[in-house]
Amino acid sequence: MDIRFLGGAEEVGRSAVLVNGSLLLDYGMKSATPPQFPVASPSPDAVVASHGHLDHVGALPSLLSGDDRSPIHWTPPTRELALTLARDTLKLHGGTYNCPFTEEEIKRVTQVSETHGYRETFEAADHQVTFYNAGHIPGSAHVLIDDGDTRLLYTGDFHTEDQRLVAGTTARPAADVVVCESTYSDVTHGNRGDLEEQFATSVRTTLWEGGTVVIPAFAIGRTQELLLICESHDIPCYVDGMGKQVTETLRQYPAFLRDGEALRRAKSHARFVTGRDGHRKRIAEKNVAIITTSGMLSGGPAMTYIPEIRDRPVNKIAMTGYQVEGTPGRELLETGRAEIDGRVMPVAAQVEQYDFSAHADRSGLLELLDSYRDTPVLIDHGDRCGAFADELVADGFEASAPENGDRVSI
Ligand SMILES: [Zn+2]
């Protein structure tokens, strides 16, 4: 088997792996200024997508320019999320370098799409392919690829512990080589229940004191997880931004949720913001929590809410995910001010950070890899892939960390 890394090696973003020159795994976009795309634009015979996040499917429609009409295989939620992301990219950046495709190519995605459930083996570019629940977001998959001689397990992004939205991964299919993500290879997540309790207590305290809590959250996965948390802790909340539409979408695929009924309850517990900025300004004066995009304060309705609540120390901004260097969210955490919509604003409101991760931490990565002790392991999707591979070697694994452009033969 020939495995070529076109993106996502030694980095997080623009994931793309070409197998035997014909089967492409993921084709993502790296959010940066300007965004980055995989290092080559292949013409595969088939495409398989692991899950619906921008760094795994963001550039996918661009594969369908010209005469190429390769089928795209994915789970039903991944299809819907990828289309939502593509339409959003087109709306925000259409006609510029930042959007490498057109409306026409998005339409072609719907024409070549082939959906599959977990554990249903299908054929793609003369390979046998099977998806297994990866426990990251709804529809996320580990992808097992068999070319007749060699079985590759591409983990995609995964979590070994249960989240409210999705159950953790338990599948460990036999494989001859593993490509494994390593986002949190030097992190130990605290106990999730304790973190949730701490978050709920903090939000409630602010509401009792007469404040408003803005909760910036990624649209896909995180917004729904926070809706579930708010419902279960009886925290009154509004939800705004792209997360609203994604919540509606995911509700239609209960088989890919840990508890479809819980998400239905969480959705009816929250109030969906439908109005314009005048409506948002009124909501920002209430004693409520507001879950809104963007997760790193780089756009979305958060741009309206933050300026409204920033002046009063009784208010709170509760960040819920990792803040990438150079984003307003990171700047706010580090300096107490942030550039919002082109204006640098000091923030008197309290700022907190909660690590509601959807990725395995170091012990989760090792727990999965423990089933592959006699299997070559290729580490990707992280900021310290090489260091993690070295640690695995010291632990007796046959591990390495390829670079973008590298070709590995197994
Ligand atoms: Zn992901």
Side-chain angles (χ1 to χ4, degrees):
M1 181 178 278
D2 177 87
I3 303 168
R4 198 170 157 217
F5 288 82
L6 304 181
E10 298 278 13
E11 65 182 345
V12 176
R14 59 170 174 174
S15 282
V17 177
L18 188 62
V19 179
N20 291 330
S22 62
L23 181 67
L24 181 64
L25 297 170
D26 289 341
Y27 202 62
M29 178 190 293
K30 184 169 180 170
S31 300
T33 321
Q36 293 175 358
F37 304 104
V39 297
S41 347
S43 291
D45 295 332
V47 184
V48 174
S50 67
H51 68 283
H53 271 156
L54 200 68
D55 57 330
H56 292 257
V57 295
L60 223 151
S62 68
L63 294 166
L64 299 172
S65 62
D67 295 329
D68 281 347
R69 296 292 179 272
S70 321
I72 302 173
H73 300 270
W74 38 23
T75 62
T78 301
R79 174 193 191 273
E80 295 307 318
L81 297 172
L83 285 167
T84 301
L85 287 169
R87 290 179 188 124
D88 188 58
T89 301
L90 186 75
K91 193 171 98 192
L92 293 175
H93 307 295
T96 71
Y97 171 86
N98 295 7
C99 180
F101 48 80
T102 64
E103 176 90 58
E104 179 60 27
E105 284 141 19
I106 296 177
K107 204 170 97 198
R108 288 177 194 159
V109 170
T110 64
Q111 293 160 354
V112 301
S113 162
E114 295 185 26
T115 56
H116 311 274
Y118 294 138
R119 297 173 184 269
E120 295 169 6
T121 300
F122 57 92
E123 198 176 304
D126 293 326
H127 296 71
Q128 299 294 312
V129 181
T130 314
F131 291 142
Y132 298 88
N133 170 38
H136 176 57
I137 58 170
S140 66
H142 299 305
V143 187
L144 184 73
I145 300 120
D146 188 343
D147 68 2
D149 292 322
T150 308
R151 294 160 301 178
L152 160 66
L153 178 67
Y154 174 70
T155 65
D157 295 358
F158 67 92
H159 202 351
T160 44
E161 283 177 27
D162 291 343
Q163 304 172 68
R164 283 184 182 266
L165 189 60
V166 284
T169 160
T170 53
R172 306 289 181 265
D176 305 301
V177 54
V178 177
V179 173
C180 185
E181 72 125 315
S182 61
T183 318
Y184 287 112
S185 67
D186 61 348
V187 169
T188 301
H189 298 321
N191 177 284
R192 185 76 167 219
D194 294 348
L195 177 74
E196 216 179 83
E197 209 49 60
Q198 216 185 326
F199 170 81
T201 303
S202 171
V203 172
R204 267 205 228 99
T205 303
T206 296
L207 301 186
W208 283 330
E209 289 171 354
T212 306
V213 184
V214 173
I215 306 171
F218 309 124
I220 297 175
R222 193 63 41 84
T223 288
Q224 295 75 39
E225 186 75 7
L226 286 158
L227 285 174
L228 288 160
I229 292 169
C230 284
E231 195 270 339
S232 110
H233 292 269
D234 207 18
I235 294 168
C237 66
Y238 281 83
V239 58
D240 203 349
M242 196 169 108
K244 289 182 295 181
Q245 186 195 340
V246 172
T247 304
E248 293 286 0
T249 301
L250 294 179
R251 277 250 299 122
Q252 293 160 30
Y253 300 98
F256 291 88
L257 302 171
R258 184 173 165 201
D259 183 347
E261 179 56 24
L263 188 60
R264 188 200 63 73
R265 280 199 314 272
K267 201 203 136 207
S268 53
H269 170 80
R271 274 169 285 184
F272 279 46
V273 182
T274 49
R276 297 190 171 276
D277 279 356
H279 184 210
R280 293 189 170 114
K281 285 179 183 172
R282 286 196 299 280
I283 291 169
E285 287 167 10
K286 298 183 179 189
N287 281 174
V288 291
I290 306 162
I291 303 165
T292 184
T293 49
S294 84
M296 300 186 202
L297 300 182
S298 48
M303 301 297 93
T304 304
Y305 293 118
I306 301 292
E308 288 300 312
I309 69 131
R310 71 183 170 101
D311 277 345
R312 297 178 60 214
V314 70
N315 293 335
K316 188 172 281 172
I317 302 168
M319 315 297 286
T320 58
Y322 181 73
Q323 304 294 310
V324 170
E325 190 117 12
T327 59
R330 179 73 166 259
E331 194 191 346
L332 178 61
L333 280 173
E334 286 176 353
T335 66
R337 55 194 149 69
E339 190 180 322
I340 302 289
D341 251 351
R343 268 180 64 207
V344 176
M345 297 179 181
V347 173
Q350 303 157 64
V351 180
E352 294 176 349
Q353 159 91 331
Y354 296 89
D355 176 22
F356 286 113
S357 180
H359 288 268
D361 65 1
R362 183 182 182 84
S363 64
L365 293 169
L366 293 172
E367 181 194 321
L368 180 133
L369 288 173
D370 200 44
S371 299
Y372 302 97
R373 283 220 155 249
D374 303 321
T375 311
V377 176
L378 305 170
I379 298 299
D380 75 345
H381 200 288
D383 294 328
R384 56 186 300 282
C385 298
F388 185 51
D390 290 346
E391 290 156 12
L392 289 173
V393 169
D395 192 17
F397 282 91
E398 184 186 336
S400 59
E403 291 177 12
N404 285 330
D406 278 3
R407 177 171 266 153
V408 179
S409 288
I410 298 289

